[in-house]
C-alpha cells in the first residue's frame, strides 16, 4: 500500500517553485484579463449529490486554458493518482493520506472488519437500549466531523443525549458532565494519537466522575485510536477500543470509527450514506474532466481568489441551520491543511496560500457580518450552500431562506452603482443634493467572488459528497501551491511550548527545574511576566 516517499521527495525537491513557472505567469495574466462575472452567465457543474454554480467566479477561455496548463505542470494527475492509491503523499510525515479508502466500495479488508465490529457493537448497545447519554471527548479532527453529523441529522432530538467536550478548559468538562447519569453514560475517547493532552485530561475527569458515582469506569469507556495499546493501557477494555490507521489524517478521520458517536446518536446507516456520497465524489474527482470537475474547479477559483486577487479569507455561508458545524469543520480542514508558506522543497511558496476560513449559517450571518461582505474595504469570497428541499413543513420559511441566499449572493455579485443608488434615493423623494450624498453610502461595489453549492436535500449521501468536495478542493490547492496539505507542524510547536509553560505555572514551580527542560528565564519578558502573574 505504502510507497515510501524518496522518489516523490526528489521529484518535489527538484520541481521549480510556483512563481518561476511561465504557466503561473500566464495564469496570473489570464486572471487579470478576466472580468468578475455579473450578467448573463450561467456556469454549472453537476457532481454526485450536488451542483456547484461557478457563475460568480472569474472566468474566460484563456483562464480555463491557463488553469489546465498550471495543473499539468504541477503534476496534478500523478499527485491525484498517488493520493487515491494510498501512496505516501504526506511527505513531511512520510505516510499516505488515504481517507478515501475508508469509504471506497472496495475498502481494504482491515477497514471492513473494523467497521463490521463497530456496527455490531452499536447494534448490541441499541438492542439493549444502553447508554442514554454519550459524552464524546476528542478535539480537532476527532471532534468536528462527529459534531457536524450529529447536529445535521439529530437536530430534532435524539433518544440518546450527546454532549461534546473538546477544550482543556475545565468549564467544558464541568458542563459536559453536569446532570448526566453516570450509570448510563458512555464516555467515548476519540484520539488518533491517544496522546492529546486535552482528550486525556478530560478523560481523567470523566473517569473520576464515574468512580465517584460508584460505577466501574472501565465498562463505561470506549475509545477510537490508531494507538490501541495506549488506550488499553489507559484503561479502556480491549473490546471497546476501535482502531483507525496511521495513514488516516486526523482531520479526515470522521470516515473511520471516530464516528462511533455518530452511529450511536443517529445510526450506522447515516455513516453508510455519508460514505456512499463521499465515495461518489471521490470517483467524480478521479474521473471528471477539469472543466466539469467540481473540486478541481473550486480549487482553481480558490487560487485565483487567494493568490492573484489577494482575498485573505473565505466565508462559508450554509443556508441551513443543520450545517452550522460545517464552518469549523471546513475551518480545520482548510486552515490546518493549507496554512503553510513553504513548498515541498522547503522554499517559500512565493504567493499567498490558504485563506482564513470563517462563517455562520444564513440568515443569522446576514444580521452579523454581511454588511462587511457587501461594503467593507476587503470583502471575501463566499461559498453559499443551500438545500433545494427542506425537511420541515413550513414551505414559507424555506422559500424565504432560499430567497435570502439568492438575494445576498446577487447583491454581492452585481453590486449597485452610485447612479442606481442615486436614482433610488430620488424615487424615494429625496432632494437631489441629499440623494447624491446618500448614494455614495448606498452603492455596493459588487464583483465579489462566490460559489453557490446546491444540495437537493440534506441527506447522509449529500453531506458525504459535500465533505469530500471540500477535501479534494483543499488537496488540489495544495498541489498547485506545492505544499504538503497533510501535516500540521505549526500546531505541534505550540503544544511543545505549552508543556513547558504548564510546569512553570505550578504553584511550587522553581524558576528552573534543574533538568534543563525549561525555565522561566528561557521565555520572553511578557511571557515571563504572565507566568509570574498566573502561577498558582
Ligand atoms: O490540532 C492538531 C491535531 O493534531 C489535529 O490535526 C487533530 O485532529 C487533533 O490535533 C487531535 O489529535 P488526536 O486525534 O490525535 O487526539
Amino acid at each position: 500500500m505504502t510507497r515510501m516517499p524518496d522518489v516523490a521527495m526528489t521529484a518535489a525537491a527538484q520541481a521549480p517553485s510556483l512563481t518561476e513557472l511561465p504557466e503561473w505567469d500566464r495564469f496570473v495574466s489570464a486572471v487579470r484579463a478576466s472580468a468578475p462575472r455579473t450578467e448573463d452567465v450561467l456556469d454549472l457543474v453537476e457532481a454526485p449529490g450536488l451542483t456547484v454554480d461557478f457563475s460568480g467566479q472569474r472566468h474566460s477561455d484563456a483562464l480555463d486554458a491557463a488553469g489546465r496548463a498550471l495543473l499539468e505542470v504541477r503534476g496534478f494527475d500523478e499527485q491525484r493518482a498517488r493520493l487515491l492509491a494510498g501512496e505516501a503523499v504526506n511527505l513531511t510525515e512520510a505516510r499516505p493520506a488515504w481517507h478515501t479508502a475508508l469509504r471506497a466500495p472496495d475498502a481494504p479488508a482491515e477497514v471492513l472488519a473494523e467497521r463490521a465490529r463497530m456496527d455490531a457493537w452499536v447494534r448490541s448497545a441499541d438492542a439493549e437500549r444502553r447508554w442514554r447519554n454519550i459524552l464524546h471527548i476528542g478535539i480537532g479532527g476527532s471532534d468536528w466531523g462527529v459534531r457536524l453529523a450529529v447536529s445535521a441529522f439529530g437536530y430534532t432530538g435524539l433518544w440518546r443525549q450527546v454532549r461534546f467536550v473538546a477544550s482543556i478548559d475545565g468549564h467544558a468538562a464541568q458542563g459536559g458532565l453536569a446532570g448526566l447519569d453516570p450509570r448510563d453514560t458512555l464516555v467515548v475517547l476519540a484520539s488518533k494519537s491517544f496522546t492529546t493532552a486535552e482528550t486525556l485530561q478530560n478523560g481523567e475527569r470523566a473517569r473520576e466522575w464515574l468512580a465517584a458515582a460508584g460505577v466501574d469506569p472501565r465498562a463505561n469507556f470506549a475509545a477510537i485510536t490508531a494507538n490501541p495499546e495506549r488506550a488499553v493501557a489507559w484503561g479502556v477494555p480491549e473490546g471497546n477500543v476501535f482502531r483507525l490507521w496511521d495513514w488516516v489524517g486526523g482531520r479526515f478521520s470522521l470516515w473511520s470509527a471516530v464516528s462511533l458517536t455518530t452511529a450511536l446518536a443517529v445510526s450506522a446507516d447515516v455513516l453508510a450514506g455519508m460514505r456512499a456520497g463521499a465515495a461518489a465524489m471521490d470517483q467524480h474527482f478521479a474521473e471528471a474532466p477539469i472543466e466539469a470537475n467540481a473540486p478541481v474547479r473550486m480549487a482553481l477559483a480558490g487560487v485565483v481568489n487567494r493568490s492573484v486577487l489577494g482575498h485573505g479569507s473565505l466565508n462559508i455561508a450554509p443556508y441551513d441551520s443543520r450545517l452550522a458545524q460545517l464552518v469549523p469543520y471546513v475551518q480545520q480542514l482548510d486552515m490546518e491543511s493549507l496554512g503553510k508558506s513553504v513548498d515541498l522543497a522547503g522554499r517559500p511558496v512565493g504567493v499567498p496560500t490558504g485563506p482564513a476560513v470563517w462563517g455562520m449559517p444564513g440568515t443569522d450571518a446576514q444580521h452579523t457580518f454581511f454588511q462587511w461582505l457587501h461594503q467593507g474595504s476587503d470583502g471575501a469570497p463566499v461559498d453559499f450552500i443551500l438545500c433545494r428541499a427542506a425537511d420541515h413543513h413550513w414551505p414559507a420559511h424555506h422559500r424565504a431562506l432560499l430567497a435570502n441566499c439568492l438575494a445576498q449572493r446577487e447583491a454581492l455579485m452585481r453590486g449597485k452603482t452610485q447612479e442606481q443608488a442615486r436614482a433610488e434615493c430620488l424615487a424615494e423623494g429625496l432632494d437631489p443634493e441629499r440623494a447624491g450624498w446618500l448614494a455614495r453610502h448606498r452603492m455596493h461595489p459588487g464583483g465579489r467572488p462566490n460559489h453557490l453549492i446546491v444540495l437537493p436535500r440534506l441527506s447522509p449521501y449529500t453531506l458525504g459528497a459535500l465533505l469530500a468536495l471540500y477535501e479534494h478542493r483543499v488537496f488540489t490547492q495544495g498541489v498547485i501551491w506545492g505544499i504538503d496539505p497533510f501535516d500540521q507542524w505549526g500546531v505541534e510547536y505550540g503544544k511543545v511550548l505549552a508543556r513547558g509553560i504548564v510546569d512553570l505555572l505550578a504553584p511550587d514551580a522553581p524558576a528552573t527545574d534543574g533538568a534543563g527542560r525549561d525555565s522561566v528565564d528561557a521565555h520572553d519578558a511578557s511571557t515571563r511576566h504572565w507566568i509570574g502573574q498566573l502561577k498558582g
Side-chain angles (χ1 to χ4, degrees):
M1 169 189 74
T2 307
R3 170 155 45 101
M4 290 312 280
D6 319 17
V7 176
M9 273 297 258
T10 313
Q14 287 173 351
S17 85
L18 179 64
T19 51
E20 282 169 16
L21 294 168
E23 287 82 357
W24 175 251
D25 292 339
R26 283 197 278 277
F27 184 74
V28 172
S29 306
V31 175
R32 300 234 158 94
S34 68
R37 285 178 169 183
T38 47
E39 305 288 337
D40 299 327
V41 175
L42 180 62
D43 182 1
L44 305 181
V45 170
E46 298 294 340
L50 50 85
T51 304
V52 185
D53 185 339
F54 288 91
S55 310
Q57 298 288 350
R58 296 285 180 127
H59 178 77
S60 70
D61 291 344
L63 182 54
D64 283 350
R68 276 196 298 275
L70 185 59
L71 287 165
E72 192 176 331
V73 73
R74 296 309 264 172
F76 170 68
D77 284 350
E78 195 212 334
Q79 294 304 320
R80 174 177 56 184
R82 296 184 69 239
L83 171 83
L84 298 175
E87 295 189 23
V89 288
N90 178 355
L91 297 188
T92 72
E93 295 179 318
R95 60 190 181 204
W98 207 22
H99 38 282
T100 52
L102 298 174
R103 59 221 189 190
D106 58 347
E110 57 184 339
V111 170
L112 295 176
E114 199 60 0
R115 189 188 301 163
R117 203 165 78 80
M118 184 187 88
D119 288 355
W121 199 89
V122 171
R123 265 197 309 278
S124 110
D126 286 352
E128 293 169 25
R129 303 291 286 173
R130 282 186 85 194
W131 314 125
R132 298 289 306 200
N133 310 301
I134 312 287
L135 186 68
H136 182 97
I137 300 181
I139 197 161
S142 294
D143 175 46
W144 293 124
V146 183
R147 278 197 210 230
L148 168 57
V150 171
S151 59
F153 303 114
Y155 64 98
T156 52
L158 300 165
W159 77 266
R160 286 191 170 113
Q161 177 176 199
V162 182
R163 295 203 188 154
F164 293 90
V165 173
S167 171
I168 196 76
D169 179 355
H171 300 105
Q174 195 180 29
L177 293 167
L180 296 183
D181 175 359
R183 287 161 306 176
D184 208 4
T185 298
L186 175 72
V187 182
V188 176
L189 295 179
S191 176
K192 178 184 168 186
S193 59
F194 222 79
T195 58
T196 301
E198 287 92 335
T199 303
L200 296 185
Q201 272 188 247
N202 285 325
E204 285 297 346
R205 297 297 78 74
R207 178 149 61 186
E208 290 159 7
W209 173 78
L210 289 167
V215 175
D216 171 12
R218 286 175 54 83
N220 290 38
F221 271 102
I224 308 98
T225 179
N227 205 337
E229 299 76 22
R230 265 181 176 271
V232 171
W234 191 89
V236 184
E238 212 171 336
N240 292 2
V241 176
F242 300 94
R243 73 167 305 148
L244 69 150
W245 297 269
D246 207 33
W247 43 262
V248 181
R251 51 191 173 273
F252 303 89
S253 62
L254 89 155
W255 309 105
S256 73
V258 159
S259 288
L260 171 67
T261 295
T262 312
L264 287 163
V266 291
S267 89
D269 289 348
V270 163
L271 292 181
M274 287 176 66
R275 284 195 299 268
M281 185 59 76
D282 294 341
Q283 194 180 353
H284 168 85
F285 175 59
E287 295 172 1
I290 300 297
E291 62 281 6
N293 195 310
V296 176
R297 292 270 321 261
M298 283 180 73
L300 286 166
V303 174
V304 166
N305 293 331
R306 180 67 188 111
S307 301
V308 185
L309 301 180
H311 289 291
S313 76
L314 168 68
N315 184 271
I316 307 288
Y319 272 70
D320 193 309
S321 311
R322 298 168 295 178
L323 291 178
Q325 296 298 330
L326 181 69
V327 175
Y329 180 86
V330 176
Q331 214 162 32
Q332 188 203 11
L333 173 66
D334 199 322
M335 296 176 78
E336 207 163 78
S337 301
L338 299 176
K340 326 271 164 73
S341 343
V342 168
D343 71 13
L344 286 164
R347 301 165 296 215
V349 177
V351 297
T353 54
V357 177
W358 57 294
M360 188 187 280
T363 59
D364 316 46
Q366 291 171 207
H367 297 273
T368 309
F369 51 69
F370 264 59
Q371 166 62 35
W372 182 91
L373 289 174
H374 285 292
Q375 291 186 312
S377 50
D378 299 288
V382 183
D383 283 358
F384 290 95
I385 301 164
L386 59 78
C387 297
R388 189 189 301 258
D391 293 297
H392 57 69
H393 301 294
W394 299 302
H397 276 258
H398 197 55
R399 274 195 297 276
L401 182 73
L402 300 182
N404 271 280
C405 179
L406 294 179
Q408 293 296 322
R409 176 171 172 263
E410 188 171 29
L412 285 166
M413 279 195 295
R414 299 178 77 179
K416 185 195 289 181
T417 64
Q418 194 169 336
E419 206 32 60
Q420 287 170 325
R422 187 170 170 278
E424 259 176 30
C425 293
L426 290 173
E428 286 166 21
L430 298 185
D431 66 64
E433 194 185 337
R434 189 166 172 81
W437 168 76
L438 200 53
R440 287 196 286 277
H441 295 268
R442 287 172 56 161
M443 65 178 279
H444 288 230
R448 307 287 210 209
N450 69 79
H451 293 114
L452 173 62
I453 302 172
V454 180
L455 279 50
R457 73 179 330 124
L458 184 63
S459 70
Y461 184 91
T462 58
L463 181 62
L466 180 68
L467 300 188
L469 172 79
Y470 273 101
E471 285 176 356
H472 296 318
R473 192 267 283 159
V474 163
F475 168 76
T476 306
Q477 284 179 223
V479 171
I480 295 172
W481 285 323
I483 60 182
D484 185 338
F486 299 115
D487 61 13
Q488 58 282 320
W489 295 104
V491 187
E492 304 307 331
Y493 178 43
K495 286 185 195 169
V496 172
L497 285 182
R499 279 199 288 274
I501 293 174
V502 82
D503 291 343
L504 298 172
L505 287 175
D508 53 350
T512 174
D513 64 9
R517 243 183 332 122
D518 205 347
S519 80
V520 175
D521 295 342
H523 294 277
D524 63 89
S526 174
T527 307
R528 281 202 305 274
H529 169 79
W530 287 111
I531 288 172
Q533 291 288 312
L534 299 173
K535 197 168 170 167

